[in-house]
Amino acid sequence: MAQCVQSVQELIPDSFVPCVAALCSDEAERLTRLNHLSFAELLKPFSRLTSEVHMRDPNNQLHIIKNLKIAVSNIITQPPQPGAIRKLLNDVVSGSQPAEGLVANVITAGDYDLNISATTPWFESYRETFLQSMPASDHEFLNHYLACMLVASSNEVEPMEQFSKLSQEQHRIQHNNDYSYPKWFIPNTLKYYVLLHDVSAGDEQRAESIYEEMKQKYGTQGCYLLKINSRTSNRASDEQIPDPWSQYLQKSSIQNQESYEDGPCTITSNKNSDSNLLSLDGLDNEVKVDGLPNNFRAHPLQLDQSSDPSNSIDGPDHVKSASSLHETKKANTGIIHGACLTLTDHDRIRQFIQEFTFRGLLPHIEKTIRQLNDQLISRKGLSRSLFSATKKWFSGSKVPEKSINELKNTSGLLYPPEAPELQIRKMADLCFLVQHYDLAYSCYHTAKKDFLNDQAMLYAAGALEMAAVSAFLQPGAPRPYPAHYMDTAIQTYRDICRNMVLAERCVLLSAEILKSQSKYSEAAALLIRLTSEDSDLRSALLLEQAAHCFINMKSPMVRKYAFHMILAGHRFSKAGQKKHALRCYCQAMQVYKGKGWSLAEDHINFTIGRQSYTLRQLDNAVSAFRHILINESKQSAAQQGAFLREYLYVYKNVSQLSPDGPLPQLPLPYINSSATRVFFGHDRRPADGEKQAATHVSLDQEYDSESSQQWRELEEQVVAMVNKGIIPSSFYPTQYCLNSYSDNSRFPLAVVEEPITVEVAFRNPLKVPLLLTDLSLLWKFQPKDFSGKDNEEVKELITGEPEMIGTEVISEFLINSEESKVARLKLFPHHIGELHILGVVYNLGTIQGSMTVDGIGALPGCHTGKHSLSMSVRGRQDLEIQGPRLNNTKEEKTSIKYGPDRRLDPIITEEMPLLEVFFIHFPTGLLCGEIRKAYVEFVNVSKCPLTALKVVSKRPEFFTFGGNTAVLTPLSPSASENCSAYKTVVTDSTSVCTALISSASSVDFGISIGSQPEVIPVPLPDTVLLPGASVQLPMWLRGPDEEGVHEINFLFYYESVEKQPKIRHRILRHTAVICTSRSLNVRATVCRSNSLEDEEGRGGNMLVFVDVENTNTSEAGVKEFHIVQVSSSSKLWKLQNSVNLAENKEAKLASREKGKFCFKAVRCKEKEAAMQASERYTFADIIFGNEQIISSASPCADFFYRSLSSELKKPQAQLSLHTEKHSIEDAVRLIQKCSEVDLNIIILWKAYVVEDSKQLILEGQHHVILHTIGKEAFSYPQKQELPEMELLKFFRPENTAVSSRPSVDQLSNLIKTSLHYPESFNHPFHQKSLCLVPVTLLLSNCSKADVDVIVDLRHKTTSPEALEIHGSFTWLGQTQYKLQLKSQEIHSLQLKACFVHTGVYNLGTPRVFAKLSDQVTVFETSQQNSMPALIIINNM
């Protein structure tokens, strides 16, 4: 239980005090009424004695009474009605609310920190009122009248006569059978005569004389002269006198309101009760109501006669509005009580009470106790005093207390008033009232036994109850508190006597006693036991106290506390105590909050919302309903729908209170702010027939960090090229779409008149759909005027004419249950300045029909048709995006700091040109190497001209706009017939197999060493595209060499003709997706020709072998490939003719076929070679058809140069600067150059494709770049084989100097050798046994340096075959020659071979050693001619 102001030792004596009746004459009543008080009320503040009182017990022992209080009340002859008592208690509780700013206790239990109200004043008021308003009953005497004050005024005509009338009246009320109420303690009631004297108006002497007369008649102990009203009421304002009555009258104004007003409140009655008006003790079955004299008012709790008389105490607590209560309170607040009384009068009243108690009441009680004691002793026939008997009673044979179940229902057993059993109870009650608890306990104990013997259960329960209380209050606590007495009493009252009022009194007392002994658990069990359906108010209060018991335990039971608070709140709600209900739920919420008990939280929040709404605390209601909606709810869809409608309804009411206030923040749907994306620019146009718009950037594309990095690099590349190789410091990559991955630390730039699209990510957490209507963005705009004046123009709501910023409104946006959905909202800036996008504004509604949930109907005002059409509220949600966490400096690393995210704060800049690009006839699938012609259309859709249009791509070999020569090349008629992409010339058949020569410069095609082949200027006519203009340019495409899907990124760069300060350039992106399928594989090798007879007789012919394989698996419908032409392109070499092709003129390759070609290559003439410096390449075409494709023109040469450019980009080998190694390096370099060849082969082909029963001809080209003699080169990229994994070595290898010796291959290419001899030789061996044959050995120096050569003619003698005489021959003459060959010199040696037999011989035995002349270190190696030189020797 909560803490109380009074301790239980003060509470119980204050609850049971001697009762005194007051009977006043009309005149006396009038005197007190001048103070707006009745006589009983006048005495109330002074009814506690200020000093101790002494009296003697029956054993003549002195007994001290402390803090004695008496209760004086007017005689009321009707018992209070239960309904009226209920109404009174209800008003007392509702009138007592927690004080504003009440300091709450903070209780920490486990991980809970709870704010709990320390005291419960409403419960204390209820308890006090309940105990005071208990009706008197016949089984106990505690609240029976012990005495009666008869009050008359000194102004009466015959005061003495008035006293005797009053005395007779009292006698009649007590002893006439017509009156069963009020109850009197003993027949011989003490009468005390009081003469009231009005000091200001009355005659002092007359009063004194009447008082003398009274003293003679009634004795000095039995009468009193009370002087009051020492001043007149109109002088009341002169002097401020304290008003001690207000605190008492606050309560009694509720109690006695019927006495002031005509229409008391009606109380809804319990129609189920059939019996007539029941009295509370269940003893008297009927109450007679007779006419009373005027001066007897009805009981203050008397109901209006018109109401239903069948009001039982067990009726429900539904009380109608207590409007009259408020009126009474209002009436009371303005009244000054005791206006005619001075402080002296206050002292006189206090003195009067003292006198009455000392002289009248206590002697009367003492005498009565003695009489009763004597009667008991004589009845028991025991020794003189009761005390000596107590031992026998306790030790004597005990009557076993029978269990209540055995006892028959004995509510019929009644004792007559003079029954001896009742006399002992009377004596016990008297002792209890004067705080003589030892004696009271003995008497109660005795009485209890008697009653149980007689099975008078109501009486027994009463005795048990008071015995337990007396035992507890005994000074020095000689015995423990007998809680089982109380339990038995409660059970008896409740189950046998069916008297809940008495049971409740037991529980209230016992719980306080247990609480004072810190037995909270037992107290809680007791309080909970008495909660029942018959009284919601009582159940609510007791459950609340039980909850306080749980939290006050040594180890607080927090969850039990919360659970019982909820139960209490529920019962308060049923009892109509809305404020208390709300308070209980809020207290319990502290426990359930955030612990994952979502259904419990929802229930509490829902109830808090409802109660707050009823109490017009709309903000609280809104926040409670908001909580239900925003927590991840586990409720059913129907329940959530009800919560949502309830919320909308409450919200609507709130917004109607302040229609012009700021828009409220709505809790639904959720917005994932960080997922907000902002897009600057127009939406992409859809593809239109053959026209396909550039993909650019759109909100439909997923973010990909790799590709965004690629785009950034492309942009940097083109910006660097435009700025002469340096990226300016002010450069910042263009971002058209801002999201959580982009860098949002700067204010983004938007262009005036170009839309800004904001994509907001909504999520509906509920299982019911949400309908957002009139959804738009909320923004703030600050126009920047060029005059320098900044005028802040804040438009919270776009209702006016949007001349600054146009706003798009989405009229309906439906988010289904538990769906995530994005809305794209647009703004159209019409003015330059700073824009801030604040959030979204919309009407929140639902489309579901209303339904009742939890048996609770929808709140009034909810539309309950098929769909709630009008139930929507307007509100906003802000977009607040947290920037990235900073992590650069030490301070940022140690603390949590976030950078700005400015994606919603664009700066609107001046107009810029806007380019749109369309691709016409752009293919999606190509064969590898296939050439296709498409067109690109450039359109300027803005109002500014654009210039400096460039395109940059990582794959420049994929496309070309044609070289500078392209514009000059007219289409040949045959080319246009076949729609060929190539420039062709018809040839006559004689020129077949010999090369046609042409040349071109790589500079014409935008390729030169050091240039950036990726950045390609777009050849716009006049280099400017005017507003609204469009231009179409041809674009040739070549399928990439690897098969598969290729994504090729183009970035178009352009600038405005007028330079803008904020935006220097703009870009447009396009990603082309091309799927390539296999076509031809080409591999080629080049080797030296052994024959030396060329025109100048100098070495230098080469053979080129080309293998072409058709790898197409005919999935693309390709029937066959024709090799149309093979061209070479080189600065030094050219193809001369085709070898061995006379038989097969047409080169056709069906699927999986392979063709082999052999060509002779010769060096270019000196004058051709001299043009190297001008980057000119010689093109030689060998044609296999009747049409020459000019390979040095667009697009053939373009693609050749593009494929070559990747080779050009590789840096040249830098020569080492170390002097001692220099010569060796040079030597190696020279030797390497001998084996290098710079020859490029272009294979041009046609493919015949059948598609939809039509035959198409596709054409294409493959490139093979030959670098080294004897090394195979391929047209397609080779897969790199990964080296095998090696074991880790854990030691440092010795520093082995890298050998700079040239490889054997390279040295063997230094000198080219050739033997000239007759193929067969006839010799008459029978004439001459030795055959001599002349042989010429030609040595050709391939390098640019002088070479020392040693020719050794001696046979190797290592091989066993050489020892055989057969097949062996001898060289005659010198066996070794030493020569020096100058650069590229050819030298011939005349040798003689000598044979002794006929046969076939290999002359290729001379070994040639070579070294560079200027080298000291000789890396000699034999250069053995690989080809056998066979000679046949015949006998003639």
Side-chain angles (χ1 to χ4, degrees):
M1 292 172 78
Q3 298 165 11
C4 291
V5 180
Q6 285 183 306
S7 72
V8 66
Q9 279 80 3
E10 297 166 341
L11 169 76
I12 297 176
D14 273 7
S15 304
F16 300 101
V17 293
C19 292
V20 178
L23 199 53
C24 301
S25 68
D26 291 347
E27 183 60 26
E29 191 66 34
R30 187 187 66 75
L31 286 186
T32 57
R33 277 277 164 234
L34 292 173
N35 294 296
H36 302 290
L37 297 163
S38 70
F39 181 71
E41 286 166 357
L42 182 73
L43 304 183
K44 206 157 216 156
F46 311 103
S47 57
R48 187 185 293 283
L49 299 188
T50 49
S51 57
E52 289 182 354
V53 193
H54 300 155
M55 61 172 279
R56 295 198 173 271
D57 63 19
N59 276 357
N60 224 11
Q61 298 290 319
L62 192 65
H63 170 61
I64 299 170
I65 308 169
K66 294 178 181 170
N67 283 334
L68 181 64
K69 182 180 164 190
I70 60 170
V72 181
S73 56
N74 294 331
I75 290 184
I76 291 150
T77 54
Q78 282 212 324
Q81 292 200 359
I85 293 177
R86 267 205 314 279
K87 159 101 181 64
L88 166 69
L89 293 173
N90 222 358
D91 292 348
V92 164
V93 173
S94 63
S96 173
Q97 295 294 338
E100 288 298 321
L102 179 75
V103 180
N105 273 9
V106 177
I107 292 184
T108 305
D111 50 354
Y112 295 98
D113 284 330
L114 307 180
N115 270 344
I116 291 169
S117 53
T119 58
T120 46
W122 48 91
F123 171 70
E124 291 174 46
S125 305
Y126 170 87
R127 187 178 58 199
E128 186 184 339
T129 311
F130 172 80
L131 291 171
Q132 280 178 7
S133 63
M134 285 212 56
S137 65
D138 284 348
H139 78 290
E140 63 181 20
F141 305 97
L142 289 162
N143 52 0
H144 291 199
Y145 286 135
L146 276 162
C148 181
M149 291 182 182
L150 305 173
V151 188
S153 161
S154 60
N155 292 359
E156 311 251 1
V157 188
E158 289 288 342
M160 296 307 285
E161 196 180 319
Q162 189 65 46
F163 278 128
S164 44
K165 270 189 193 170
L166 292 171
S167 178
Q168 286 161 19
E169 192 58 61
Q170 188 276 329
H171 190 272
R172 191 169 70 84
I173 292 171
Q174 182 173 355
H175 297 293
N176 190 336
N177 286 337
D178 292 348
Y179 298 108
S180 64
Y181 205 85
K183 310 280 185 192
W184 303 87
F185 209 101
I186 46 175
N188 181 17
T189 302
L190 168 70
K191 291 179 184 168
Y192 196 78
Y193 299 89
V194 181
L195 182 66
L196 269 189
H197 175 61
D198 188 327
V199 176
S200 57
D203 181 346
E204 185 93 22
Q205 284 180 338
R206 179 164 188 252
E208 289 292 350
S209 64
I210 298 167
Y211 181 47
E212 284 304 320
E213 200 177 334
M214 285 166 66
K215 279 201 277 196
Q216 283 169 9
K217 184 172 180 183
Y218 305 121
T220 51
Q221 309 282 349
C223 56
Y224 194 83
L225 168 63
L226 178 58
K227 298 179 180 177
I228 58 167
N229 296 1
S230 297
R231 60 178 186 172
T232 51
S233 55
N234 56 5
R235 285 179 52 244
S237 54
D238 305 348
E239 187 186 354
Q240 277 299 312
I241 297 279
D243 175 3
W245 291 273
S246 53
Q247 53 175 333
Y248 295 100
L249 294 180
Q250 197 92 43
K251 293 169 188 162
S252 64
S253 70
I254 300 173
Q255 292 176 351
N256 297 339
Q257 56 187 309
E258 283 81 8
S259 56
Y260 304 144
E261 298 185 18
D262 307 333
C265 296
T266 53
I267 294 174
T268 53
S269 56
N270 185 356
K271 300 278 185 282
N272 306 336
S273 150
D274 316 331
S275 63
N276 276 351
L277 188 62
L278 291 179
S279 79
L280 289 175
D281 50 13
L283 299 172
D284 297 344
N285 284 340
E286 202 170 68
V287 177
K288 296 187 179 70
V289 181
D290 266 345
L292 294 173
N294 288 336
N295 57 351
F296 303 136
R297 274 183 315 288
H299 191 281
L301 298 180
Q302 182 61 46
L303 274 177
D304 188 21
Q305 289 305 308
S306 62
S307 68
D308 192 323
S310 59
N311 267 308
S312 100
I313 186 79
D314 299 342
D317 289 335
H318 296 292
V319 177
K320 290 193 181 168
S321 136
S323 57
S324 55
L325 163 61
H326 295 306
E327 285 161 28
T328 310
K329 276 192 181 161
K330 273 184 224 149
N332 284 340
T333 48
I335 296 172
I336 298 171
H337 302 292
C340 303
L341 303 175
T342 59
L343 289 174
T344 318
D345 292 334
H346 290 195
D347 290 340
R348 284 178 186 146
I349 299 170
R350 204 173 278 116
Q351 186 62 37
F352 160 63
I353 295 288
Q354 297 270 81
E355 285 293 315
F356 165 70
T357 313
F358 280 34
R359 301 276 169 82
L361 185 62
L362 284 177
H364 174 69
I365 292 175
E366 198 177 316
K367 189 175 84 181
T368 311
I369 290 177
R370 282 180 189 281
Q371 286 173 358
L372 290 168
N373 191 35
D374 293 345
Q375 282 180 30
L376 288 172
I377 290 165
S378 60
R379 170 200 155 205
K380 288 283 180 188
L382 297 168
S383 54
R384 200 183 69 73
S385 166
L386 180 69
F387 276 9
S388 55
T390 49
K391 272 206 180 81
K392 286 186 185 172
W393 291 344
F394 288 134
S395 57
S397 59
K398 272 191 179 173
V399 180
E401 289 185 21
K402 297 175 183 162
S403 79
I404 289 190
N405 300 337
E406 293 171 28
L407 299 171
K408 56 188 181 294
N409 184 356
T410 53
S411 55
L413 174 59
L414 297 175
Y415 289 106
E418 59 283 349
E421 289 85 356
L422 287 190
Q423 305 311 312
I424 193 166
R425 166 76 208 227
K426 263 185 194 173
M427 180 173 165
D429 282 353
L430 265 181
C431 294
F432 188 86
L433 289 174
V434 292
Q435 303 173 14
H436 200 319
Y437 298 118
D438 298 347
L439 190 49
Y441 177 76
S442 309
C443 298
Y444 283 132
H445 202 278
T446 311
K448 175 200 74 165
K449 285 183 168 178
D450 291 346
F451 295 140
L452 282 172
N453 283 341
D454 296 341
Q455 296 211 346
M457 294 318 295
L458 179 65
Y459 296 91
L464 279 165
E465 174 189 3
M466 296 316 291
V469 176
S470 306
F472 171 71
L473 289 173
Q474 274 178 340
R479 53 179 60 79
Y481 168 60
H484 59 288
Y485 280 14
M486 272 297 195
D487 295 344
T488 312
I490 293 167
Q491 213 171 336
T492 310
Y493 280 143
R494 195 184 62 191
D495 300 339
I496 296 179
C497 308
R498 308 258 177 246
N499 191 325
M500 291 304 281
V501 176
L502 292 168
E504 184 178 349
R505 182 180 70 186
C506 274
V507 166
L508 293 176
L509 296 175
S510 185
E512 277 298 332
I513 292 169
L514 289 168
K515 187 185 84 172
S516 72
Q517 298 177 333
S518 296
K519 294 182 179 172
Y520 288 107
S521 176
E522 292 88 335
L526 196 62
L527 291 160
I528 293 167
R529 202 194 314 168
L530 205 68
T531 56
S532 60
E533 286 308 308
D534 62 321
S535 168
D536 289 316
L537 182 64
R538 177 185 71 229
S539 302
L541 288 158
L542 296 184
L543 283 165
E544 185 183 10
Q545 292 307 309
H548 280 285
C549 288
F550 288 126
I551 202 74
N552 283 323
M553 287 182 173
K554 195 176 279 179
S555 52
M557 302 173 82
V558 180
R559 292 197 291 271
K560 259 192 159 60
Y561 161 79
F563 182 64
H564 286 86
M565 273 312 231
I566 295 285
L567 295 177
H570 177 62
R571 298 304 288 269
F572 270 130
S573 178
K574 282 173 75 177
Q577 299 278 354
K578 302 291 181 198
K579 284 186 182 170
H580 287 297
L582 179 57
R583 182 181 48 71
C584 288
Y585 273 101
C586 291
Q587 298 249 305
M589 188 59 180
Q590 300 176 80
V591 175
Y592 288 103
K593 204 177 196 169
K595 292 285 186 291
W597 292 336
S598 65
L599 295 177
E601 257 186 275
D602 287 353
H603 169 78
I604 297 170
N605 272 317
F606 184 73
T607 314
I608 289 177
R610 276 252 160 131
Q611 300 288 10
S612 304
Y613 179 76
T614 318
L615 294 166
R616 307 308 291 162
Q617 298 176 7
L618 296 180
D619 290 345
N620 291 354
V622 164
S623 74
F625 281 122
R626 183 189 176 96
H627 275 294
I628 309 180
L629 295 175
I630 60 177
N631 291 342
E632 294 293 326
S633 174
K634 296 186 174 67
Q635 302 284 4
S636 67
Q639 188 85 358
Q640 288 182 359
F643 286 162
L644 179 60
R645 279 190 302 281
E646 200 100 1
Y647 171 76
L648 294 175
Y649 176 72
V650 172
Y651 224 129
K652 213 170 181 64
N653 284 24
V654 174
S655 55
Q656 280 164 1
L657 292 180
S658 54
D660 304 329
L663 277 177
Q665 293 278 349
L666 293 174
L668 288 172
Y670 288 0
I671 292 182
N672 182 358
S673 284
S674 62
T676 304
R677 299 195 296 165
V678 185
F679 175 68
F680 301 101
H682 297 278
D683 292 343
R684 182 175 168 236
R685 291 196 198 171
D688 173 21
E690 285 296 322
K691 260 194 188 186
Q692 179 195 350
T695 52
H696 195 43
V697 185
S698 80
L699 286 169
D700 299 324
Q701 296 164 0
E702 287 296 312
Y703 174 80
D704 175 17
S705 58
E706 234 174 276
S707 75
S708 70
Q709 183 57 30
Q710 282 175 15
W711 288 117
R712 183 181 177 141
E713 285 167 11
L714 287 174
E715 188 176 354
E716 282 174 359
Q717 216 171 337
V718 65
V719 169
M721 199 209 93
V722 170
N723 290 285
K724 304 186 176 54
I726 301 158
I727 296 179
S729 57
S730 61
F731 167 74
Y732 189 65
T734 310
Q735 299 190 109
Y736 283 110
C737 182
L738 301 179
N739 51 30
S740 50
Y741 304 107
S742 54
D743 176 6
N744 304 324
S745 57
R746 294 162 169 247
F747 292 104
L749 299 174
V751 177
V752 71
E753 302 299 344
E754 289 186 22
I756 299 170
T757 310
V758 179
E759 181 184 88
V760 184
F762 289 111
R763 181 168 74 83
N764 176 6
L766 301 183
K767 298 187 178 80
V768 289
L770 295 176
L771 182 65
L772 311 186
T773 52
D774 297 342
L775 170 64
S776 64
L777 289 170
L778 202 59
W779 48 265
K780 188 168 79 175
F781 183 63
Q782 193 173 345
K784 288 283 187 212
D785 231 346
F786 293 114
S787 59
K789 289 199 290 280
D790 285 5
N791 50 332
E792 175 92 4
E793 176 178 339
V794 180
K795 286 201 172 181
E796 286 292 331
L797 271 177
I798 317 307
T799 44
E801 55 280 20
E803 68 282 348
M804 290 287 175
I805 307 281
T807 309
E808 180 190 48
V809 178
I810 298 179
S811 59
E812 280 201 351
F813 187 74
L814 178 68
I815 312 175
N816 285 318
S817 56
E818 295 179 330
E819 180 189 21
S820 294
K821 193 172 177 182
V822 294
R824 290 182 184 163
L825 297 154
K826 285 198 178 126
L827 293 178
F828 301 95
H830 302 313
H831 200 289
I832 57 174
E834 291 173 12
L835 177 64
H836 302 282
I837 298 164
L838 306 174
V840 286
V841 57
Y842 55 93
N843 297 326
L844 172 65
T846 176
I847 57 166
Q848 202 103 28
S850 243
M851 48 189 103
T852 55
V853 183
D854 276 354
I856 306 165
L859 276 174
C862 282
H863 176 81
T864 50
K866 265 275 175 79
H867 292 287
S868 46
L869 310 165
S870 58
M871 188 48 73
S872 70
V873 294
R874 187 133 186 98
R876 64 185 281 181
Q877 275 202 69
D878 292 342
L879 291 169
E880 288 166 355
I881 304 174
Q882 189 178 53
R885 181 163 174 194
L886 300 175
N887 206 17
N888 301 326
T889 63
K890 184 181 179 188
E891 185 194 354
E892 286 168 358
K893 284 177 181 167
T894 50
S895 60
I896 297 180
K897 285 189 176 175
Y898 293 92
D901 190 301
R902 303 209 164 98
R903 66 182 101 156
L904 294 174
D905 304 318
I907 293 172
I908 314 295
T909 64
E910 298 89 350
E911 278 199 290
M912 282 289 289
L914 184 61
L915 176 72
E916 282 194 0
V917 178
F918 298 97
F919 295 87
I920 303 162
H921 300 302
F922 200 86
T924 52
L926 291 172
L927 292 172
C928 292
E930 182 189 341
I931 304 277
R932 191 79 67 88
K933 186 175 186 179
Y935 287 91
V936 189
E937 184 175 12
F938 298 98
V939 189
N940 181 355
V941 294
S942 69
K943 294 178 182 159
C944 310
L946 66 87
T947 184
L949 177 56
K950 296 176 174 50
V951 60
V952 59
S953 173
K954 284 263 188 276
R955 305 283 293 269
E957 68 276 8
F958 169 67
F959 69 99
T960 175
F961 288 106
N964 300 354
T965 57
V967 190
L968 313 172
T969 318
L971 281 174
S972 57
S974 59
S976 56
E977 271 169 39
N978 291 341
C979 300
S980 171
Y982 290 116
K983 178 185 173 189
T984 57
V985 176
V986 180
T987 56
D988 53 339
S989 53
T990 56
S991 65
V992 170
C993 299
T994 52
L996 299 165
I997 309 298
S998 59
S999 75
S1001 164
S1002 64
V1003 181
D1004 290 342
F1005 294 93
I1007 306 292
S1008 61
I1009 293 173
S1011 78
Q1012 281 208 320
E1014 289 97 340
V1015 180
I1016 299 158
V1018 177
L1020 284 178
D1022 310 330
T1023 69
V1024 172
L1025 194 57
L1026 295 171
S1030 72
V1031 62
Q1032 276 194 12
L1033 296 176
M1035 180 189 214
W1036 287 273
L1037 308 169
R1038 175 175 181 271
D1041 286 318
E1042 305 112 278
E1043 67 166 332
V1045 178
H1046 301 268
E1047 272 195 9
I1048 294 160
N1049 292 337
F1050 298 92
L1051 185 128
F1052 295 95
Y1053 165 101
Y1054 57 98
E1055 298 172 5
S1056 174
V1057 175
E1058 305 153 24
K1059 293 282 173 275
Q1060 299 288 6
K1062 293 263 189 206
I1063 305 181
R1064 297 288 171 84
H1065 67 271
R1066 300 193 84 178
I1067 59 168
L1068 174 71
R1069 302 174 182 179
H1070 177 61
T1071 302
V1073 179
I1074 300 283
C1075 181
T1076 53
S1077 42
R1078 295 190 215 171
S1079 56
L1080 298 177
N1081 270 0
V1082 182
R1083 46 177 73 195
T1085 45
V1086 60
C1087 55
R1088 289 224 166 89
S1089 156
N1090 267 1
S1091 65
L1092 292 175
E1093 57 267 2
D1094 61 343
E1095 303 89 87
E1096 285 101 37
R1098 307 186 54 191
N1101 289 2
M1102 291 215 266
L1103 290 180
V1104 180
F1105 296 95
V1106 179
D1107 290 4
V1108 183
E1109 184 187 359
N1110 175 0
T1111 55
N1112 187 285
T1113 49
S1114 69
E1115 73 261 6
V1118 181
K1119 281 205 306 189
E1120 56 185 4
F1121 285 91
H1122 288 212
I1123 308 300
V1124 200
Q1125 179 174 319
V1126 175
S1127 300
S1128 72
S1129 165
S1130 170
K1131 296 183 188 176
L1132 304 172
W1133 298 85
K1134 60 185 179 186
L1135 291 183
Q1136 195 181 34
N1137 54 16
S1138 164
V1139 182
N1140 276 350
L1141 211 79
E1143 310 85 49
N1144 178 16
K1145 189 183 168 192
E1146 285 216 333
K1148 294 183 186 174
L1149 293 176
S1151 179
R1152 290 292 175 196
E1153 282 187 346
K1154 203 182 247 186
K1156 215 174 180 68
F1157 299 86
C1158 181
F1159 303 99
K1160 181 176 173 188
V1162 295
R1163 281 187 187 275
C1164 298
K1165 308 230 171 17
E1166 282 299 332
K1167 62 173 189 294
E1168 292 172 353
M1171 292 194 290
Q1172 278 182 47
S1174 63
E1175 299 283 337
R1176 285 195 86 75
Y1177 282 71
T1178 303
F1179 288 80
D1181 304 337
I1182 292 178
I1183 303 153
F1184 297 134
N1186 54 358
E1187 214 175 33
Q1188 178 199 359
I1189 295 172
I1190 300 172
S1191 56
S1192 60
S1194 286
C1196 179
D1198 290 86
F1199 288 115
F1200 160 66
Y1201 281 126
R1202 294 279 157 95
S1203 67
L1204 198 63
S1205 71
S1206 52
E1207 302 297 317
L1208 287 174
K1209 263 199 302 188
K1210 291 179 183 167
Q1212 300 300 314
Q1214 293 296 308
L1215 294 176
S1216 167
L1217 298 176
H1218 299 302
T1219 46
E1220 70 276 8
K1221 284 196 173 178
H1222 200 53
S1223 53
I1224 299 179
E1225 298 279 344
D1226 283 352
V1228 173
R1229 189 82 204 94
L1230 282 165
I1231 292 171
Q1232 283 173 349
K1233 278 195 83 117
C1234 293
S1235 57
E1236 277 179 15
V1237 57
D1238 179 15
L1239 177 63
N1240 307 298
I1241 306 290
I1242 304 169
I1243 313 286
L1244 294 122
W1245 49 263
K1246 283 187 180 172
Y1248 291 86
V1249 178
V1250 178
E1251 199 177 89
D1252 303 336
S1253 71
K1254 282 193 304 214
Q1255 178 161 314
L1256 300 176
I1257 300 178
L1258 307 179
E1259 48 197 349
Q1261 65 190 60
H1262 279 76
H1263 312 125
V1264 183
I1265 296 173
L1266 290 163
H1267 282 299
T1268 315
I1269 295 176
K1271 197 170 180 188
E1272 199 170 21
F1274 303 89
S1275 66
Y1276 49 96
Q1278 292 300 297
K1279 287 195 179 74
Q1280 292 288 320
E1281 285 199 7
L1282 290 171
E1284 284 186 21
M1285 284 183 70
E1286 289 183 9
L1287 290 173
L1288 276 175
K1289 292 180 180 157
F1290 287 100
F1291 56 87
R1292 180 179 294 168
E1294 286 132 33
N1295 200 356
T1296 51
V1298 179
S1299 159
S1300 54
R1301 293 170 69 84
S1303 67
V1304 178
D1305 272 355
Q1306 291 165 343
L1307 284 169
S1308 68
N1309 286 328
L1310 261 181
I1311 301 291
K1312 186 171 163 188
T1313 59
S1314 177
L1315 285 165
H1316 286 236
Y1317 54 88
E1319 279 188 19
S1320 66
F1321 194 83
N1322 296 334
H1323 179 73
F1325 277 101
H1326 56 275
Q1327 293 174 14
K1328 204 174 181 184
S1329 58
L1330 291 179
C1331 169
L1332 298 178
V1333 179
V1335 177
T1336 308
L1337 173 62
L1338 275 182
L1339 298 170
S1340 162
N1341 179 1
C1342 298
S1343 79
K1344 296 275 177 72
D1346 297 355
V1347 178
D1348 292 352
V1349 181
I1350 298 171
V1351 181
D1352 193 351
L1353 298 177
R1354 286 173 299 182
H1355 289 296
K1356 278 189 196 160
T1357 55
T1358 49
S1359 56
E1361 300 91 53
L1363 301 175
E1364 290 177 22
I1365 196 82
H1366 293 295
S1368 111
F1369 68 97
T1370 339
W1371 294 102
L1372 298 182
Q1374 249 178 284
T1375 56
Q1376 202 173 39
Y1377 296 87
K1378 284 191 178 176
L1379 313 164
Q1380 186 176 43
L1381 296 182
K1382 296 273 180 281
S1383 163
Q1384 296 192 330
E1385 182 189 341
I1386 298 173
H1387 185 79
S1388 63
L1389 280 177
Q1390 302 301 325
L1391 306 175
K1392 277 189 180 154
C1394 172
F1395 302 91
V1396 291
H1397 287 286
T1398 55
V1400 179
Y1401 294 89
N1402 178 10
L1403 292 177
T1405 58
R1407 290 154 70 205
V1408 181
F1409 297 87
K1411 76 174 182 67
L1412 296 177
S1413 312
D1414 57 354
Q1415 288 293 310
V1416 186
T1417 50
V1418 183
F1419 19 66
E1420 291 188 321
T1421 177
S1422 74
Q1423 195 242 269
Q1424 198 66 32
N1425 202 344
S1426 53
M1427 298 181 72
L1430 297 179
I1431 184 167
I1432 303 166
I1433 304 293
N1434 297 321
N1435 195 357
M1436 277 170 47

